[in-house]
Amino acid sequence: MLKVRDIENLLQNIPNGYLKPDDNLFAKTNAAIILPYKKLGAINSVDIDKKLDEPDKNQQNSSEIFCNVFNCKMVFDNTASYTLHYNSMHRFICQECKKSLPTEHLLDLHLSEIHDSYFKARLDRGEKLYKCYVEECKEIFANAIERKKHCIEEHKFPANFRFGQVVPTKHNKEESKNNCGSTGMELETHTDTESVATTNETSIKNFSFGHQREKTFQLKPEPKTKSGQGKGLESFSLLKDALDMDVSK
Amino acid sequence: MDAAQSTSPELSSNSPEPKPSTVPTQLLREKIREYTKKHREAIRAEVSDSLRFQLGEIKERIQELDNVTEKDVAGLAARIKRRKHATIEDMYRLSHAFLQNVANIQAFNKIPGSMQVLIKELTGNDSERQMSAAECLCNLSLGEGPVCEKIASAAGSYLVTYLHSTESQLVRLCLWIIANILATGQKCASVLMKMQLLPQLWKMYCDDEIADPLLDYREDAAICLQLMSLNAPNLMTQEDRNFVLQQMADKNPTCVAAEYHLFIVFHILFTEPHIISTLYPPDALYLLNFSLINLNNTNNFLTQPQRLKILYSIRVLGNLLVVQPLIYSTLLLQVSCVWKSSITALLNKLFAFHNEHLSQEALWLLKIILHLEEENAFMQPNILESIHIFEECMPFDDKPIEEEAAAAMAV
Ligand SMILES: [Zn+2]
Ligand SMILES: [Zn+2]
Ligand SMILES: [Zn+2]
C-alpha cells in the first residue's frame, strides 16, 4: 500500500484541472484498454431449413401468398418474405394515387403537395410550405425547386434523388419562370402514377392506413407455378434464429 | 438514373461476360448455413438476420470460399451495369467477394456505374433485391476512403431516408453501412453529417419505447454516434452541438447502450470548457448522477462496457468539478445520502481495479477533489490517509510506456 507521501509524489506528475477529450492522459488510456471499432460486413444467414419448418409452412405446404395491394403482382411462398415485401414497399402508400413511398415523412409530403387542395390555396397566398426531404431538417421553402436546390447544396443529395416529389404542372411552370437560368436543374417530370391534384376536398392527411395483414394475402389451396419474380427467392425473413457473430475482440 | 453517370468507356464495354465462378452460389449459402448452425450455441441470439465479419475474416472461418476472384467481380460488375439490374444471386456473390479482400472491392469500384446499379436496386420496388443491395453496400463499405466516399455521396441520402423505414433489417443494414463510413474517414463522414444524421441517430439511440426487439436500434445507433463523436467532432455544426446539449438528458442510465452515453456527450460537448461551465443546473446534475450510477453500479473493469462506464464517468465528473466547483457539495451529498458511501470509498474502488491507466485517471480526479477540499476549507483531515493504492498497479518512471501498454492489453 502506498504511503501518503508516495501518493503526493504521484500526484505531482498528474496534470491539473480541465482536460479536453483529446488530452494525452485520456488518449493513452483509450489506446491501451479501449477496443477501437472494427468495420464489419454482413452476410445473410437465415437458415432456410429452419424456415421450412415454420408452422405456417407445415400447415399449408403448397400455399402461396399473393400481394393484393393495387397493381402489385408479387407472389410469395412464405409469410416472412411477404412481410418484408409489405413493410418496405406498401407501408406508406398513397390511397389517392397508389404511389408507394419509403417513409411516413415522404408520404406526408406527397399527400399535401400533390393531393391537398388546402395546401394549394395556401401556396397561392404565398405561404412557404415545401418541407425539406430530410425529416430532421426544419427548413421550409416557397417551391419545390428551392427545396431541391437546398437538398443538393446543404444535404449533398444527388440531383436525381429518387423519392423527390413530382411538382404539379401549374406550379412547375410558374417556378420555372421564376427560376429560369438560375439553376441548371431539371424538374422531376416523371409522371408514372402521379396525378395532379384535383379539387377534392377530402382531408387525406388524416387517413389511417389500417392495412390488416390477415386480409391482405390470400392463401390458395392449389399449388401454382410462381411468377418469374417470386421464383427462387430465398427470403431474408424475420426469423430470429439467425445469429450475430460479434467477433470484434 | 444510372445511365448518364456510367459513360466512361475504358473498362466497361469490353469486359468479358463472366464465366460462372467455380463455387456455385448454392455452396456459398450452404457454407454460411453450416457455419451458423455450428456456432449457434457460442453466439448470443440476435434479432438480426445477418452474420457479421471483418474484412478477410470470412476466409479464415469458412473454408472453400476463396474462389471469388477479382476477375469474377469485374465480370459481375460489368454484367449488372450492362443490364442496369442486379439479381439476388449477383449481389449475393458480390457480397461474398467484398467480404474476402479489399482487392475485390477495388475491382468493383473500378467499373464505373456499377455502384449505381446497386443503388438502383436499393431504392427499387423489389424488397428482397433491396435487402441484397443493402448487404452488398455494407460489404463494399469495408473498403477504403475512396469507395466509402462514393457510397456516402451516391447512397447517403437513401441510407438516411431508410432509417425511418418500417423494415427492421433494412434499417439495421443502413446503420451498419453508416457506421462503416463514419469509421473510414472525415471526408466521407462529412457527407453524411450534412444530412442531419446526428439528430436522427440520437432519437433512435434514446428511444426507450420499443414495442418489438426487432425494432431496437439503440446499440447500432450508439455505435454510429460514438464513431461520429470520436472521429468527426470538428465536422459538427453549432446546431448539432446545441441539439446534444438540449437532448442530453434523454438517455436513461439503466437502458440499453447507456454505456456509450457519457462517451458521446464527453467527446461532443467537453471539447469546449465554456459549454460545461455554463451548463444548466439540471443538466449538470444529470451528468453528476449518471456518473455516480455508473461508478457505483459497475463492479468490474474487464469488459468494454464496464471500462467505458468507469472511465467516462471519471472524465465527466472531474471536468465538471473543475468548471462548476459548486456542484462538489451536491456530489458529497449524493454519495453519502443516496449511495451510503464516501468519496474516498469511491476512489478506493477505482484503485482496487488494479489497472494502472485507470489509476492515473483516478489520481487526476483525486487531485481535483483535494483542490476543492482546500478551497472550501472543509478539508477532511486525512483524506489521503484513507486512500488505498497498491504499488503494483502504479507505473513508475523507469518503466517504458510501450511495456505498460502491452501489459494492459494482456489483461
Ligand atoms: Zn405488393
Ligand atoms: Zn398520391
Ligand atoms: Zn433540409
Side-chain angles (χ1 to χ4, degrees), chain A residues 1-4 6-8 10-22 25-50 74 76 78 80-89 91-92 102-106 133-138 153-158 160-163 229 232-249, chain B residues 1 26 29 32-33 35-37 40 43-46 48-54 57 61 88 95-96 99 120 123-128 130-132 135 138-139 141-143 148 157-158 161-162 164 166-167 173 176 179-180 183-184 191 194-196 199-200 203 223 227 266-267 270-271 273 276 301 304 307-308 311-312 315 319 322-323 355 357 360-361 363-364 366-367 370 384-385 387-391 394 408-409:
Chain A
M1 205 75 73
L2 294 185
K3 307 234 164 52
V4 170
D6 298 328
I7 300 176
E8 281 170 346
L10 280 174
L11 285 172
Q12 286 185 348
N13 297 322
I14 299 291
N16 268 320
Y18 196 98
L19 299 181
K20 289 190 176 189
D22 58 357
L25 178 72
F26 303 149
K28 248 172 80 185
T29 310
N30 281 16
I33 60 174
I34 297 292
L35 298 167
Y37 174 79
K38 292 264 174 40
K39 296 213 288 183
L40 290 174
I43 198 88
N44 189 274
S45 66
V46 171
D47 190 331
I48 293 143
D49 299 336
K50 185 80 183 288
M74 297 286 277
F76 301 89
N78 62 67
S81 43
Y82 176 74
T83 309
L84 171 66
H85 164 78
Y86 183 81
N87 272 339
S88 52
M89 296 303 149
R91 183 64 72 184
F92 303 110
T103 68
E104 193 176 10
H105 174 65
L106 290 172
Y133 291 139
V134 177
E135 192 165 335
E136 311 302 329
C137 175
K138 299 302 169 217
E153 285 173 1
E154 301 297 321
H155 301 311
K156 303 293 163 205
F157 269 39
N160 59 355
F161 182 61
R162 239 180 125 95
F163 307 123
Q229 272 177 309
L233 290 187
E234 293 172 27
S235 156
F236 299 84
S237 81
L238 300 171
L239 287 177
K240 294 172 189 169
D241 62 325
L243 303 164
D244 183 49
M245 269 304 290
D246 191 353
V247 276
S248 54
K249 181 89 206 290
Chain B
M1 65 183 275
Q26 198 45 48
R29 291 190 192 279
I32 291 291
R33 218 156 63 207
Y35 182 82
T36 310
K37 244 182 212 163
R40 177 157 298 144
I43 321 165
R44 72 202 152 95
E46 241 310 319
S48 149
D49 285 348
S50 301
L51 291 176
R52 313 268 339 251
F53 291 103
Q54 286 175 39
E57 189 190 349
R61 294 184 176 267
I88 286 176
S95 276
H96 268 281
L99 277 178
K120 190 177 168 186
T123 57
N125 55 15
D126 182 310
S127 47
E128 310 234 7
Q130 176 176 52
M131 228 54 76
S132 297
E135 200 170 86
C138 183
N139 295 343
S141 69
L142 295 174
C148 284
S157 58
Y158 304 110
T161 298
Y162 286 136
H164 295 275
T166 43
E167 178 44 52
L173 281 162
W176 294 346
N180 283 344
T184 302
V191 178
K194 296 206 167 90
M195 299 172 179
Q196 299 280 325
Q200 208 158 316
K203 283 176 190 167
I223 289 169
L227 287 166
F266 184 70
H267 283 273
F270 280 66
T271 46
I276 306 309
F301 194 69
Q304 180 96 336
R307 290 177 175 188
L308 288 177
L311 289 171
Y312 281 89
R315 295 170 188 183
N319 280 330
V322 172
V323 295
N355 181 289
H357 294 278
Q360 291 283 318
E361 301 203 13
L363 280 173
W364 170 70
L366 171 63
K367 198 171 182 179
L370 287 175
L384 274 186
E385 276 163 28
I387 294 290
H388 305 311
I389 304 177
F390 301 86
E391 271 125 0
M394 290 317 302
M409 288 293 258

Side-chain angles (χ1 to χ4, degrees), chain B residues 173-201:
Chain B
L173 281 162
C174 287
L175 285 168
W176 294 346
I177 300 170
I178 289 170
N180 283 344
I181 291 173
L182 290 172
T184 302
Q186 293 232 344
K187 211 169 157 191
C188 38
S190 75
V191 178
L192 293 183
M193 300 284 286
K194 296 206 167 90
M195 299 172 179
Q196 299 280 325
L197 189 58
L198 186 136
Q200 208 158 316
L201 290 170

